[in-house]
Amino acid sequence: MKITLLKSFLLLGAFLCFGLAKAQTVSGTVSDANGPLPGASVLVKGTTNGTQTDFDGNYTLSDIGSSAVLVISYIGYSTQEIPVNGQSTINVTLQEDAQALDEVVIIGYGQTTVKDATGSVAAVTSEDFNGGVISSPEQLIQGKTSGVQITQSSGEPGAGIALRIRGTASVRSNNSPLFVIDGVPVTNESVSASGADVGVGTSGSKNPLNFLNPNDIESMSILKDASATAIYGSRGANGVVVITTKSGKGGGSQGQWGFTTNLSISKVANTYDLLTAEEFIERGGSNLGGATDWQNYIFRTSASTDNNLSYAQNYGKGNVRATFGYSKQFGVIENTNLERITGRVNAAHRFFDDKFRVNLQATVSRINDQAPFISRTSGSTGDLLAAAYYANPTLTANPGISAAPDRNPANLLAYYDDNTHTDRFLGNLSLEYDITEELTAKLNVGYDTSSSTRGQVSGPQILALNNGAENNGRAAVSNLDTENRLVELTLNYNKQYENSSLDALIGFSFQDFNRKGQNMLGQGYGTANLGAIIDATNSAYDATYNLASNYQAYGIGTFQDDADAGDQFRILGLTPNVNESTLTLPNIPIDAFTVDTFDNTDELQSFFGRVNYTLMDKYLFTATVRADGSSRFGGNNQYGYFPSAAFAWKLNEEDFTGDAFSTLKMRLSWGITGNQDGLGYGQFVNRTRWNQLGIGANSQITSPATSEIAFANPDLKWESTTQYGFGIDFGFNNDRFTGNIDLYRKETTDILLNLPAVQPATSPFVFQNVDGKIINQGIEFGLDYDILRGEDFNWNANFNISYNQNELTNYNGPNIQAGNLYGQGLTGTTSQILTNGKPLFTYNLREVDENFNVDTDPTILDKSGLPKIISGFSTSASYKNWDASVFFSGQFGHYVYNNTANALFAAPQIGSRNNLKSVVDNGVTLSATNPSTYFLEKGDFVRLQSASISYNVPLSGDGSLKSMRLSVNGQNLWLITDYSGLDPEVSTSDVPANGLPSASIDYLQYPRPRTFTFGVNVTF
């Protein structure tokens, strides 16, 4: 017994000694190319024994067996596994994993990877963004993924951009996707003041995303199908674009500064071949004694600059990134520029053993925009572009010379001014707490506010306006303030089982949108100084806006209905009843002055949930549902319900596929999403407003009158889009060659439309959901291939193409004319029609034969302004420190109406006006007042969108600079098309009286420039 007990003690002692001999402490430093990496994970493989690196990238682990393996990982870097083998010090340098970054897709209220996504999603990271002069985030991803059409409306700096995902699903709305910036959904409505008519017509506002500095964006995820977008419910019908800004994770513990500066030179890519002064005289034109190339006079070669300074630091428990950006883009037309000043801070910190996480993202911006005399609604004599195209080339370039009844381009440049200033703040604060290892709660608070003012002035020296501005001066000042507040609370449950995983999310969201402002119009000023005229207008408002309360509008001056009474001060109110009153006349330095105000708030309250279930890492299931309640609808349909479901099968994980595929996944999806865009405020209740007071040529104010602007319809509800999808993702050779094929069908019902009311009625029109179905169906195909991979040389190619067929079916409503045309004699004419059995934006025109005989009645054609095929091709190569890339884009299968040619170049007659050399010499005999198929042309094109070459300067590492990159980029380098105008890529959305937007109508488009950009990027 004693011997046995002694043996047992000896055995236990030997075991303990052996264990102590084998167990040890390991320490070291984890770094990346920039230095120590705080917050990296160091874990003993197969155990829960692990830690994170501190501020200086250091770690220490105890009780490590000599045969243990350390797993070192960090988001965005390749994970390394290192055997201990008795080492007490192990230092590791992690390498960035570009492929891992590319795979991450930010989706609604979470993130996934491309391989684990059940819906149709795509991610474009900053490494793949388009370069050059970028004024809005959409331009960064143009042509980068299939099924996404991005068209800039013109070449004007900051011009609006039309983005379509899988076709056009709505008759009335702008069809833009929902943009979510760092978790905050932002409105698609403009945040810059739209302005008024000071005699030159109205012009649209700029792109609402211009405030966001493209250099601050890390990635953009495009959610295409209902499975991916239904979590956003009533705003997901047109797809969702999720924008994620850069954080300080890669800044290193010592911090890293970055500075980029670009110089861009732009010149008009194409101009019209007009008659020179000599050619004009030879063909019988009137000789005024001068010789002016008016295109050359208003166009210019411009130089623009973009500069960005950033600081990033990762300090272990958190990170921070701060940036300042300044850019000024000069347009290729005189008096055109866009200045953007931005500041941004992204900060994150972890508390309580990383259980509590705080994230802050905030950006502040100032946009200063100067626009020339350019407008589609500028009347029969046209705007600055029209005047430059038709102006007599023998007219001297003197602003004081009258060309009446036509307009002198020099006069329009000298005596018209249009400036918009927009301040915007967007910020969100998220608080995230791990209640248990599986359950996490998150509170997200967002705030988006802007203040914009636009001042437009036609000086008293301006000629040929015929509205009273001449000798008097006329000005409009428009103010717009917006506020968007967001509160969201989510609970996320994530549980890993033996051969499956569950990820469940429930949430609540409340968001409201307020828009308020004033539109002022004045005429008759005692100064010729354009700036002083704007100041006088603002002073008049400051002196009068608080003289009365509860008003919608007021006017000061002589009113047409009581001209003998002289000047009056009339107040037009809506509360408590529609009323008009007269107050004591204030003293203002303007002959006639009117003010109209508005203040509208919409609210959206939502409940949502999503379940992701993965079985054996092969079978993936997703189900979502969202209930949205909107103040835009009455009590009968205030809530809408939007479900979706999806299934994905990783076939490459099955034994029967063998090793042929590195990725092979099949996806099936179905879902319903909604749309309320284009509806506007309060369209379900009967509302009355005063008509906006106008000022006539004699400086008299139009008589006050009210009108019904909305007709009661308590049954009004969302448009609903049901989408079905089937897709296959594939990859070969460890995903060196990847691709995707997607088939989809979208059916939009309950179409929101403003139709004639059943008479007798107090309003001629009423918003309603009409019977009908808008179908978009198509196929998407994408390929990406790393053609060559080597230590010194790499070559990649990417190609995507998509086909979409659009049709309005089961529609029994009236045919609605759309697509307004502009120009002398074209007022009230249209070119497009909404009708059953045809695509949206179908053309309805009189046909013309080879002898220029035009039919009496229009024909509904099998031609639409919507492209059927969009495509993109890019290829990039790198050799040692050099890299280069080219990018082509194309659109096919649509038609463009050349409204410019119709209005200006239809007939060969010349006298006081210039014309195209080809029109004069070829004897075209068409009337400008008779629109026809002669001006309808194929819009197919292929564009070399950009090409770039860059060089990474080798540095010794001893100096303060960590890296230096030099680059040259060219944009819009050449265009292949049969279109006779300047450019077939046009995007129009002008809304005529019947409330329908237009598409692919080319009227006096601001020409696109050809741009070369020289850049320097350094880190230190």
Side-chain angles (χ1 to χ4, degrees), residues 104-117:
V104 175
V105 180
I106 307 299
I107 57 175
Y109 308 100
Q111 69 179 43
T112 184
T113 63
V114 172
K115 288 188 176 182
D116 290 331

Side-chain angles (χ1 to χ4, degrees), residues 18 70 126 148 191 232 242 282 337 409 429 464 516 526-527 625 629 631 675 701 710 714 751 801 804 881 933 938 992:
F18 179 79
L70 298 186
S126 55
V148 180
V191 297
Y232 290 105
V242 183
E282 289 173 358
N337 66 76
L429 175 68
K516 61 183 178 181
T527 177
V625 64
S631 63
N675 186 15
I701 300 173
I751 300 169
I801 189 169
N804 183 77
N881 293 324
T933 54
K938 284 188 175 182

Side-chain angles (χ1 to χ4, degrees), residues 970-993:
Q971 293 172 274
N972 191 24
L973 296 177
W974 50 256
L975 177 70
I976 301 176
T977 183
D978 290 331
Y979 180 63
S980 66
L982 296 182
D983 198 309
E985 190 173 6
V986 293
S987 171
T988 55
S989 59
D990 298 88
V991 180

Side-chain angles (χ1 to χ4, degrees), residues 337-375:
N337 66 76
L338 179 75
E339 181 180 47
R340 176 172 55 210
I341 306 168
T342 62
R344 184 169 186 88
V345 174
N346 282 14
H349 193 80
R350 303 187 298 272
F351 300 89
F352 309 133
D353 296 326
D354 299 341
K355 289 185 177 181
F356 182 52
R357 296 172 292 280
V358 178
N359 287 274
L360 171 70
Q361 291 100 12
T363 185
V364 61
S365 68
R366 173 65 181 264
I367 303 294
N368 299 317
D369 173 58
Q370 183 183 21
F373 180 153
I374 292 179
S375 168

